[in-house]
Amino acid sequence: MATRRQFIRISAMGTGAVLAGAAGFRLLASELTDGQKATLAALTGRTPTYCEVCFWKCAGWVWKDEKGAIKKITGNAEDMNCNGRLCPRGTGGVGMYYDEDRLKTPLIRTEERGKQSFREATWDEAFDYIADKIRKLSAEWGPECMALFTHGSGGKYFTTLLKALGSPHVAAPSYAQCRGPREVAFQATFGQTLDSPEPLDIRDTRCLVLIGSHLGENMHNGQVQEMSDAIDKGATIITVDPRFSTAAGKSKYWLPIKPATDLALLLAWINVIISEELYDKPYVEKYTYGFEYLKEHVKTMTPEWAYGITTIDPTVIRETAREMANAAPAVIIHPGRHVTWYGDDTQRIRAVAILNALLGSWGRRGGFYRSESAVIPEPQHPAYPVPKRTWRTEFPDLYKLADVVLANGVCDATVPDPSRNCKFHGWIVNGSNLIETLPNRANTLRAIDSLELLVVIDTMPMEITGYADVVLPECTYLERYDEIRAVPHRKQQIALRMPAVEPAYNTKPAFWMARELAKRLGVIDYFPFEKIEDQLDWQLKQVGTSLEEMKKAGVKTFDRPADDLYFSPDEEVEFYTGTGKIELYSTLLADSEFDPMPKYTKHEEPPEGYYRLNYGRAPMHTFGRTSNNPNLTDLMDENTVWVNPRVAKEWGLSTGQYVHLVNQDGNRSEFPIKVRVTERIRWDSVFMVHGFGHDQKKLRRCYGKGASDSNLITKVLIDPIMGGTGMRGNFVTFITDLSKEEVAS
Ligand code: SF4
């Protein structure tokens, strides 16, 4: 077997760039050299896959040597998500397969929760235990007392299982802990959500505005490539970030905004665009509703007003607004992705949407295109039972515009409260380390403590597996089939994932697990195909291809039925809003008794001696999901806390020194974190990469490496509109007197 170093050399091929520094734009593997082509030619078979290391789902090929060992993963040249180039995390995905810390066999808990005492079990034992418990809980409390938390491809099959049982409670933290506010904001403005990948025409844009979006460190593959192309073609990049991010380094303007004031800047930009009549008049007149309300609303929100809030010079605010207008309609104010910051996030992203609408970028080349997505038919099965209650039963007036089950809502409703009837008694958690994903760990642990059944399905032993009653080891994406990937893009395109190798150890795919449980729980009719291959073949034949064809091609692209990627000049467009127009004034928000226009509200400042905790991504890791990956830990194995030199001087800190962080509620980082003194962060903030500081000892490579930001996020600012959990309202200070043991370890 190749060593880890060899894997990186073989599989990342562009690794020189990776090791060269943080320039995310150089991190994508480029065209193969002759030597690399020879390396590939020496490998034998290739099987199609789509990457599971992050949600971008790039399609690729898995290459094996003559002994059948996986050697390399490359991008599929036909794939619109990656254009044949994977990011370093994607090429390092092979580490998920070879990680010796993987979950290997089903486990059943033997002592109290959290003690990590398990015995190995057979699959039959594990399934019988789970099915027996679900039957008992459903009989006593109704099937609605079961909830599923899911992130990743296998979740589809557990979703079918839960719905077949009669529970509607399927929650994904990717909504209320990540992009939910922007979906509601764009729905309220344009009558549609953005989904993933977002329909951003970055390759043809002339001006890209990034607000707290660190594209490049956030390796959203296709977008990073398009941004690089746009820069080459002379596009202006404007980056708003308290941190000098990789994207800021590529920008004409870097606006180091005071954290928590972005909405004021957006409103000032709108003020300039309207007061200087820079907006797209025919577009606004034809397609929008509420312009006069908006004009009145922002008339006092001048750059001078915003200066006092944001610390951004009014001249720069005007200049950047004019840059956007000059480029319009080929301009994108990026909607962001992880947007749950301060609790007024839906309103902040509403301002982003409004700005795009004023500049006429929606439906225009270089702005937002009309995406298309293939529809994959589902096998026929009986109708799902109608649930008798949902989590909303107990929270009827909360988060009225949340259109999906909230992970934090289910968690809150699980914590025992004598004033409520609704209670969850069983959780199935698939590929989601809720201890780190949900803010307010103490609350999550209170909820878990009250459960009568906690089943965790994962490939790795994460913090949450330590609390499970039963652990089901899932095989990695390289060892299984999954659902057909059909994501929105410029054309309809589908991709196949199939096993490159047999599942290692005693691990199994989600489809098989969900079906085995369905058999025991009397709902097998919802899984009409015994083998997933047969189901996929049936589905593929419905859309004009087959499993055999897809095994060879990996992806298949369908032409657009009409040439309507952008609005045609005189096109009448009906938007799915209350007025049928793009709503600058939101009737949806007004009808739900929320502000129809975004308003700036002041947020809490850090107390003396504390700094706002900002967190984000590194290009070689995806949350905590990859922090034990042998290939990727070789590239980055711990996080650091970024500290401005002025703060470092006050505290006597130097680069490389270990400190503890403690937050405003007295929560201390479990492990020390290394300081990085840098001008690239404002003096009122610190920054750290999310996903480190694991306290799961079975993750031997990353246990205790760096600090966990999740452990320092105890204050949660809930968005009243859709229940998103704002997590940027936490402040930390330093503990510098570490014990000798801690420094040594
Ligand atoms: S962006 Fe990278 S990690 Fe994400 S799916 Fe693509 S290759 Fe995989």
Side-chain angles (χ1 to χ4, degrees):
M1 196 172 90
T3 65
R4 279 187 276 143
R5 279 280 172 203
Q6 281 169 326
F7 268 127
I8 291 166
R9 218 172 36 240
I10 297 165
S11 64
M13 287 194 173
T15 307
V18 174
L19 298 175
F25 298 90
R26 297 167 56 206
L27 284 167
L28 293 159
S30 53
E31 293 300 312
L32 301 183
T33 63
D34 288 346
Q36 289 163 346
K37 281 181 189 156
T39 308
L40 269 191
L43 300 174
T44 52
R46 66 175 195 180
T47 45
T49 190
Y50 56 87
C51 181
E52 182 85 349
V53 184
C54 89
F55 47 76
W56 207 256
K57 296 185 177 168
C58 298
W61 298 106
V62 184
W63 299 82
K64 294 186 287 182
D65 65 13
E66 69 286 351
K67 292 187 189 134
I70 298 178
K71 303 306 275 188
K72 179 173 171 55
I73 308 173
T74 58
N76 186 321
E78 302 303 315
D79 177 38
M80 293 191 293
N81 279 12
C82 79
N83 307 305
R85 290 187 282 168
L86 300 185
C87 80
R89 296 169 304 164
T91 52
V94 68
M96 287 170 77
Y97 172 70
Y98 284 114
D99 193 333
E100 62 280 11
D101 289 346
R102 284 174 60 172
L103 291 167
K104 297 183 175 89
T105 196
L107 302 169
I108 293 179
R109 182 163 66 80
T110 53
E111 282 186 67
E112 70 192 72
R113 284 223 168 93
K115 278 210 162 176
Q116 301 271 359
S117 299
F118 296 97
R119 67 175 174 85
E120 293 189 357
T122 64
W123 281 99
D124 278 336
E125 269 182 290
F127 288 144
D128 288 345
Y129 180 106
I130 297 167
D132 191 42
K133 255 302 200 268
I134 291 179
R135 263 194 302 272
K136 282 187 187 137
L137 293 176
S138 298
E140 192 172 353
W141 307 97
E144 301 87 351
C145 77
M146 290 297 303
L148 168 67
F149 296 84
T150 181
H151 193 264
S153 309
K156 177 186 171 72
Y157 305 112
F158 292 107
T159 300
T160 303
L161 176 70
L162 216 72
K163 288 185 174 170
L165 294 172
S167 174
H169 294 119
V170 178
S174 53
Y175 182 79
Q177 282 67 58
C178 195
R179 62 190 168 98
R182 73 157 208 209
E183 304 301 355
V184 175
F186 271 68
Q187 180 73 46
T189 312
F190 296 103
Q192 70 177 78
T193 56
L194 290 169
D195 298 329
S196 176
E198 300 84 1
L200 307 179
D201 208 17
I202 297 177
R203 70 181 182 195
D204 281 332
T205 201
R206 294 175 54 219
C207 179
L208 176 65
V209 183
L210 301 171
I211 304 181
S213 165
H214 46 309
L215 204 54
E217 286 145 289
N218 223 347
M219 289 300 290
H220 296 168
N221 194 341
Q223 285 191 5
V224 177
Q225 293 184 39
E226 291 201 18
M227 182 171 168
S228 179
D229 292 347
I231 290 170
D232 287 347
K233 287 192 278 178
T236 297
I237 312 294
I238 299 170
T239 297
V240 181
D241 201 318
R243 189 173 64 93
F244 189 77
S245 59
T246 303
K250 304 280 172 189
S251 299
K252 179 170 176 184
Y253 296 92
W254 171 45
L255 280 57
I257 194 165
K258 178 176 172 182
T261 66
D262 310 71
L263 184 46
L265 173 67
L266 287 158
L267 291 166
W269 272 337
I270 294 172
N271 170 291
V272 176
I273 301 282
I274 293 179
S275 63
E276 296 190 11
E277 300 195 14
L278 299 172
Y279 57 96
D280 186 330
K281 284 188 193 147
Y283 183 98
V284 166
E285 199 168 306
K286 183 168 181 175
Y287 293 128
T288 71
Y289 169 79
F291 178 74
E292 290 304 324
Y293 289 109
L294 178 66
K295 188 176 176 183
E296 179 64 22
H297 177 67
V298 298
K299 76 177 181 201
T300 57
M301 299 171 186
T302 61
E304 286 69 25
W305 164 81
Y307 173 53
I309 299 168
T310 62
T311 71
I312 305 295
D313 186 329
T315 317
V316 174
I317 297 178
R318 287 202 170 81
E319 217 173 288
T320 44
R322 290 170 195 150
E323 283 270 3
M324 292 178 220
N326 283 339
V331 54
I332 299 167
I333 294 86
H334 197 297
R337 186 131 187 150
H338 175 77
V339 293
T340 41
W341 299 354
Y342 306 113
D344 56 357
D345 306 300
T346 304
Q347 292 291 16
R348 186 183 71 254
I349 307 298
R350 267 273 296 153
V352 168
I354 288 170
L355 198 50
N356 278 300
L358 288 175
L359 295 165
S361 66
W362 186 265
R364 311 288 276 282
R365 182 183 292 277
F368 294 70
Y369 59 77
R370 276 185 176 126
S371 59
E372 292 233 328
S373 184
V375 178
I376 307 292
E378 287 300 317
Q380 284 208 327
H381 59 63
Y384 291 123
V386 178
K388 294 193 181 61
R389 61 183 169 83
T390 76
W391 67 280
R392 277 205 175 282
T393 316
E394 292 298 317
F395 302 96
D397 297 322
L398 281 180
Y399 326 132
K400 286 186 206 161
L401 296 186
D403 54 0
V404 299
V405 178
L406 300 178
N408 46 311
V410 172
C411 184
D412 291 350
T414 303
V415 175
D417 180 338
S419 70
R420 285 198 306 260
N421 293 321
C422 177
K423 168 93 174 68
F424 289 91
H425 294 267
W427 288 3
I428 299 174
V429 181
N430 171 224
S432 183
N433 187 16
L434 295 181
I435 308 278
E436 291 287 322
T437 310
L438 294 178
N440 195 347
R441 184 180 293 190
N443 191 55
T444 309
L445 291 177
R446 266 197 301 278
I448 287 175
D449 204 37
S450 75
L451 289 170
E452 289 166 63
L453 176 65
L454 174 58
V455 180
V456 174
I457 301 133
D458 215 315
T459 59
M460 295 296 296
M462 307 304 284
E463 278 74 4
I464 184 121
T465 46
Y467 295 86
D469 297 306
V470 184
V471 179
L472 302 180
E474 191 179 16
C475 52
T476 68
Y477 72 103
L478 300 168
E479 303 159 289
R480 67 187 198 226
Y481 285 103
D482 265 310
E483 63 176 318
I484 303 296
R485 187 204 78 179
V487 291
H489 219 291
R490 291 182 176 95
K491 288 181 181 174
Q492 294 182 13
Q493 190 175 61
I494 57 174
L496 175 70
R497 174 186 290 160
M498 66 175 288
V501 286
E502 287 296 309
Y505 312 109
N506 190 16
T507 63
K508 297 284 183 186
F511 177 88
W512 180 82
M513 291 184 219
R515 201 171 186 280
E516 287 297 311
L517 282 168
K519 270 190 213 164
R520 285 164 173 80
L521 288 161
V523 290
I524 193 64
D525 288 355
Y526 294 84
F527 293 85
F529 289 94
E530 191 178 338
K531 289 181 169 169
I532 189 170
E533 300 91 294
D534 295 338
Q535 178 166 321
L536 297 177
D537 191 43
W538 178 84
Q539 289 178 304
L540 289 165
K541 283 181 174 144
Q542 306 307 302
V543 296
T545 177
S546 67
L547 190 56
E548 274 322 294
E549 185 188 342
M550 290 298 290
K551 280 181 181 178
K552 289 183 199 123
V555 299
K556 187 175 175 76
T557 311
F558 303 88
D559 284 335
R560 286 179 81 93
D563 181 16
D564 60 353
L565 194 59
Y566 312 112
F567 296 172
S568 56
D570 48 3
E571 185 174 342
E572 295 298 329
V573 183
E574 171 98 24
F575 297 87
Y576 296 109
T577 56
T579 57
K581 302 270 189 186
I582 298 170
E583 294 199 347
L584 306 176
Y585 175 101
S586 169
T587 56
L588 177 68
L589 289 169
D591 292 348
S592 308
E593 297 171 11
F594 296 115
D595 284 331
M597 298 290 189
K599 281 185 195 147
Y600 169 73
T601 45
K602 192 171 167 15
H603 293 293
E604 194 182 342
E605 304 267 346
E608 182 70 30
Y610 282 75
Y611 308 90
R612 189 175 296 274
L613 174 64
N614 283 331
Y615 54 87
R617 303 278 290 275
M620 57 293 279
H621 281 290
T622 307
F623 326 126
R625 184 177 259 231
T626 57
S627 33
N628 203 63
N629 181 308
N631 294 11
L632 303 180
T633 47
D634 270 2
L635 303 178
M636 176 182 178
D637 67 350
E638 66 180 293
N639 57 357
T640 56
V641 57
W642 292 30
V643 178
N644 182 277
R646 174 173 148 187
V647 176
K649 192 169 174 205
E650 268 172 39
W651 284 84
L653 301 175
S654 52
T655 292
Q657 172 183 354
Y658 278 96
V659 295
H660 271 292
L661 300 176
V662 59
N663 80 353
Q664 72 286 335
D665 295 324
N667 258 41
R668 191 177 109 134
S669 54
E670 198 168 346
F671 305 104
I673 183 169
K674 217 186 247 182
V675 169
R676 174 182 174 184
V677 179
T678 172
E679 294 279 2
R680 292 173 60 182
I681 183 84
R682 276 177 63 110
W683 62 268
D684 49 8
S685 307
V686 295
F687 171 81
M688 59 199 282
V689 169
H690 172 72
F692 287 88
H694 283 282
D695 66 358
Q696 166 57 282
K697 288 191 173 150
K698 295 187 188 327
L699 296 170
R700 288 174 295 175
R701 210 167 288 106
C702 68
Y703 169 77
K705 293 278 181 73
S708 160
D709 53 310
S710 306
N711 194 30
L712 299 165
I713 298 174
T714 50
K715 186 186 287 173
V716 185
L717 305 166
I718 303 274
D719 189 325
I721 298 175
M722 49 61 68
T725 53
M727 295 179 260
R728 297 263 167 105
N730 290 270
F731 310 112
V732 293
T733 190
F734 309 101
I735 297 177
T736 54
D737 53 342
L738 268 56
S739 66
K740 281 194 185 117
E741 296 75 36
E742 274 192 301
V743 174
S745 71

